[in-house]
Amino acid sequence: MKFNKYTKVLIGILVFYLVLYLVGPMVYSNQSFFETLIIFTILTLSFNIVYGFTGYLPFGYAAFFGLGAYGFGIAVMRGFDIETALAMGGALSLLFAVIFIPMLRLKGAYFAIANLAAFEGIYYIFSNQSLDWLTRGPYGISIPSVYNFGETYVASVVILVVITVLTLYIKTSNIGLAFKAIKEDQTTASLSGINVPLYRAMAWMISALFAGFSGGLFAWYLSFFYPESVFSINYSLFVIVFTIFGGAGTLMGPIIGTIVLYSAYDTIGITYPEYFTLIFGIAIILLVLFLPNGLMDLISKYTKKEMV
Amino acid sequence: MASILYYAILSGVLIGLYYSLMALGLNLVFGVTRIVNLSHGDFIMLSAYTSFWLFFYFHLSPLVGLVIVIPLFFLVGILTYFALVKKLLKSKDPEMTSFIVFFGLSFSIESAAAITFGNSYRSLPLNFLPISHINVFGYSMPFVNVFVAILAVIVILFTYVYLNRTKIGLKTRAIMSNKETAISFGINPGVIFAVSLGIGIAITAIAGVFSPYFFGAIYPSEGGIITIIAFSIIIIGSLGNPLATVIGGIVYGLIINVTGIYIPGWSYAITFIVLVTIILVRPNGILGGKIREV
């Protein structure tokens, strides 16, 4: 049997996942590290679909993560089962993505600011005292009855595999080509017959859906959280640094970026979070100025091979 | 009770003038350099801390503090140009690069401030003014609002005179309307960029000194939300047109004040929803031209 380059990459990544996420927890006993690592890999890969493929940079991306967590939490509190609750997490995030589709008509600074303002608006809605009956307002969501680490872990791995395969599929299909054309030049893309509004909305919605799933998984794993612990702009910083460090628009870049930088964060950062946002902040400046295409680009220049 | 509405409108306009001052420097920087300074709010925070420490250690009133803060932040602006902006203007897509660079800078400044100053809330005393409150339509209004509104008008007029009545202002406007042509007429863009960043950040620092009276307190992470408010204001006015900032500031002041009086719990949520809607419907601002594409 002969495999093409992409199948080989996919098999490689899946074997890597198998080793890291099956053998890893047996060797290194800090299991919650692996769980959060999977959640952030899903979030970074979702972010990569919109930023890496189409070039839109949503600074308020953390909103989709928070919406996913709230969709999940609210559904559980209303007595839905876990599968439905996870779907609701994705759906709530998707719903807001659909509402904000018109934002994609904006460019540059306008898109960035509209996105940040939307993030703040959503946060103030979900943390609002008068929505106590639905969201528990500023008091946070508590769903300890559904806590089940094993199930969360399995569900997380499944969703990680799905987004990995999906990313590779998009990258190698005509859809990916259309996304790339949009990233380069929207006017030229539409002149060559690409339905620009349709494709960019598609990337936006897929991205939001999976960010919602990762938020839902995070809520399930935490089983207790405050609005500011899921609607935190720090998650936007995380995904942007992880993606740019690895290499935006590739499949392996965001995966490696997340593993390297999130491991560093998890080892030192949780005890000294301020030092870590300081380091990530400086890292992002240096990366953009000196290594704008990330690690994958560096490797492909060195090995003279195009990285996936 | 109509008088509470009158009070809300008058006080909204006055606060709006402060917000114009707060966003003016940002718009000047964007208009001239096309750099999207996402750490704008952090400069406000830093200048508020400077003013706080000057008061804390040397008992200098915020008004005296201004004499130190203005030249200091002018230098910070020049330094920002040489340390970051000069390099990023040479990159492939300067606008996009500037987002990411200043997004990173914002986190760096906030974390460094949290490490150095701690996370406790600080505030400045009000006794630098002779009167504390005045009576307007039967309601008591902090006199600092009136004072800062007057100061804002003075700074806005200064900016107008600077841009329209001085030689360097003329060169600045030439760069703003067409960079390439201006360069071909012998204008050195580096000097204009550096001075504009200096002035823009010095104006921002003036707003920063008085920020505790409008945002309640000084704390390291306040910058993020201030940046969003400032950007929304200049988009409502018109991005790249410094003097149109006044319109955006007053619109914002009115929304936040009127909703704050009638539906206090929802004031912020509604303000941000209105801001997003305005950006979506009229991204060119109330005074601007057409910019939406595809």
Side-chain angles (χ1 to χ4, degrees):
Chain A
M1 217 154 84
K2 240 184 120 182
F3 294 117
N4 70 16
K5 180 175 144 197
Y6 296 112
T7 322
K8 276 185 204 155
V9 168
L10 185 63
I11 294 171
I13 291 175
L14 293 181
V15 170
F16 175 69
Y17 283 164
L18 197 70
V19 174
L20 183 64
Y21 296 124
L22 193 70
V23 183
M26 297 175 194
V27 181
Y28 180 54
S29 63
N30 184 358
Q31 295 182 338
S32 62
F33 161 72
F34 291 98
E35 173 61 32
T36 43
L37 180 61
I38 299 172
I39 289 171
F40 283 112
T41 312
I42 299 171
L43 190 65
T44 312
L45 282 172
S46 319
F47 173 76
N48 186 44
I49 290 180
V50 69
Y51 173 62
F53 289 170
T54 65
Y56 282 95
L57 178 51
F59 284 107
Y61 197 73
F64 292 135
F65 187 71
L67 285 166
Y70 266 87
F72 179 87
I74 292 168
V76 169
M77 287 197 300
R78 302 266 138 174
F80 289 98
D81 57 43
I82 292 293
E83 291 81 5
T84 320
L86 270 178
M88 298 275 267
L92 187 64
S93 177
L94 185 62
L95 174 72
F96 274 82
V98 171
I99 296 172
F100 289 130
I101 283 178
M103 219 182 254
L104 298 171
R105 287 183 302 186
L106 303 174
K107 280 269 180 64
Y110 300 90
F111 179 74
I113 300 308
N115 211 277
L116 278 170
F119 168 80
E120 291 294 339
I122 293 171
Y123 165 71
Y124 282 111
I125 292 172
F126 279 82
S127 62
N128 203 292
Q129 185 117 35
S130 39
L131 284 182
D132 188 15
W133 57 275
L134 182 69
T135 64
R136 308 282 300 115
Y139 313 112
I141 283 184
S142 177
I143 39 170
S145 60
V146 296
Y147 179 81
N148 183 333
F149 187 82
E151 281 183 21
T152 314
Y153 196 80
V154 173
S156 307
V157 172
V158 170
I159 293 178
L160 175 66
V161 171
V162 173
I163 180 94
T164 306
V165 174
L166 186 68
T167 302
L168 192 65
Y169 170 73
I170 291 174
K171 210 176 149 51
T172 52
S173 68
N174 282 337
I175 303 171
L177 216 55
F179 286 173
K180 206 171 176 182
I182 291 173
K183 185 181 184 177
E184 294 300 323
D185 187 339
Q186 298 208 351
T187 315
T188 319
S190 69
L191 284 176
S192 41
I194 293 167
N195 188 341
V196 174
L198 176 77
Y199 277 102
R200 69 188 178 199
M202 198 168 142
W204 179 243
M205 283 156 64
I206 296 172
S207 178
L209 178 70
F210 279 89
F213 287 147
S214 72
L217 291 168
F218 194 58
W220 189 11
Y221 156 71
L222 287 180
S223 70
F224 173 73
F225 56 91
Y226 291 107
E228 54 273 19
S229 38
V230 289
F231 285 110
S232 162
I233 198 79
N234 282 357
Y235 298 130
S236 295
L237 173 74
F238 277 20
V239 290
I240 296 172
V241 184
F242 296 168
T243 309
I244 294 179
F245 174 72
T250 64
L251 170 63
M252 292 200 287
I255 298 176
I256 295 171
T258 311
I259 291 175
V260 172
L261 294 181
Y262 186 76
S263 307
Y265 173 79
D266 193 78
T267 330
I268 330 163
I270 290 176
T271 346
Y272 307 101
E274 274 132 9
Y275 286 88
F276 240 79
T277 36
L278 176 65
I279 293 168
F280 277 3
I282 296 171
I284 205 173
I285 298 174
L286 297 177
L287 279 172
V288 166
L289 292 180
F290 299 102
L291 190 65
N293 297 320
L295 215 58
M296 286 299 116
D297 187 58
L298 204 66
I299 297 175
S300 66
K301 266 184 194 147
Y302 188 71
T303 58
K304 307 241 167 18
K305 268 185 201 158
E306 200 210 338
M307 301 304 286
V308 179
Chain B
M1 286 276 283
S3 66
I4 190 157
L5 182 65
Y6 296 147
Y7 173 80
I9 291 174
L10 179 71
S11 124
V13 171
L14 290 177
I15 291 178
L17 284 167
Y18 170 74
Y19 283 116
S20 317
L21 174 67
M22 186 199 87
L24 180 65
L26 179 67
N27 212 355
L28 182 69
V29 169
F30 180 82
V32 179
T33 60
R34 299 277 137 184
I35 287 301
V36 180
N37 177 7
L38 284 182
S39 51
H40 177 76
D42 303 302
F43 288 118
I44 295 220
M45 179 268 292
L46 287 179
S47 115
Y49 267 108
T50 312
S51 153
F52 170 78
W53 294 119
L54 286 174
F55 169 76
F56 192 82
Y57 286 117
F58 306 107
H59 302 287
L60 292 181
S61 100
L63 284 180
V64 184
L66 276 181
V67 180
I68 297 164
V69 165
I70 294 173
L72 181 70
F73 280 82
F74 180 80
L75 288 178
V76 169
I78 305 265
L79 194 74
T80 312
Y81 172 74
F82 286 104
L84 293 175
V85 177
K86 202 175 172 190
K87 165 92 183 148
L88 78 84
L89 283 175
K90 286 184 196 137
S91 66
K92 208 170 65 185
D93 183 354
E95 197 185 71
M96 195 64 155
T97 313
S98 75
F99 288 150
I100 311 177
V101 165
F102 279 92
F103 187 68
L105 182 66
S106 165
F107 274 93
S108 316
I109 295 178
E110 280 182 21
S111 329
I115 294 164
T116 330
F117 306 143
N119 275 316
S120 44
Y121 285 54
R122 309 285 189 173
S123 61
L124 277 173
L126 265 171
N127 56 16
F128 71 96
L129 290 170
I131 327 163
S132 74
H133 284 79
I134 52 166
N135 198 316
V136 180
F137 300 119
Y139 295 91
S140 151
M141 177 190 280
F143 183 66
V144 68
N145 290 12
V146 183
F147 175 81
V148 175
I150 295 168
L151 183 70
V153 172
I154 294 171
V155 177
I156 292 161
L157 285 175
F158 160 81
T159 313
Y160 177 82
V161 171
Y162 169 76
L163 285 174
N164 293 282
R165 295 282 182 275
T166 64
K167 210 166 177 185
I168 189 164
L170 182 70
K171 288 180 183 171
T172 309
R173 281 187 298 136
I175 293 267
M176 283 165 89
S177 63
N178 191 324
K179 195 172 140 192
E180 277 69 36
T181 317
I183 293 170
S184 72
F185 274 82
I187 295 173
N188 179 352
V191 174
I192 302 292
F193 287 165
V195 172
S196 301
L197 262 163
I199 292 181
I201 290 178
I203 292 174
T204 306
I206 300 176
V209 168
F210 297 99
S211 65
Y213 308 119
F214 295 87
F215 298 110
I218 316 168
Y219 54 96
S221 59
E222 67 177 323
I225 195 148
I226 296 178
T227 304
I228 301 171
I229 294 172
F231 260 107
S232 308
I233 287 171
I234 65 178
I235 290 177
I236 295 172
S238 174
L239 205 55
N241 177 354
L243 298 170
T245 311
V246 181
I247 291 173
I250 290 173
V251 168
Y252 179 81
L254 285 173
I255 301 172
I256 192 96
N257 230 28
V258 173
T259 53
I261 283 171
Y262 287 97
I263 25 172
W266 285 97
S267 152
Y268 264 109
I270 288 178
T271 305
F272 282 109
I273 293 166
V274 171
L275 290 178
V276 176
T277 316
I278 293 179
I279 299 172
L280 283 178
V281 178
R282 280 197 72 87
N284 30 7
I286 292 169
L287 295 181
K290 194 171 163 54
I291 43 127
R292 225 162 53 188
E293 286 171 54
V294 186

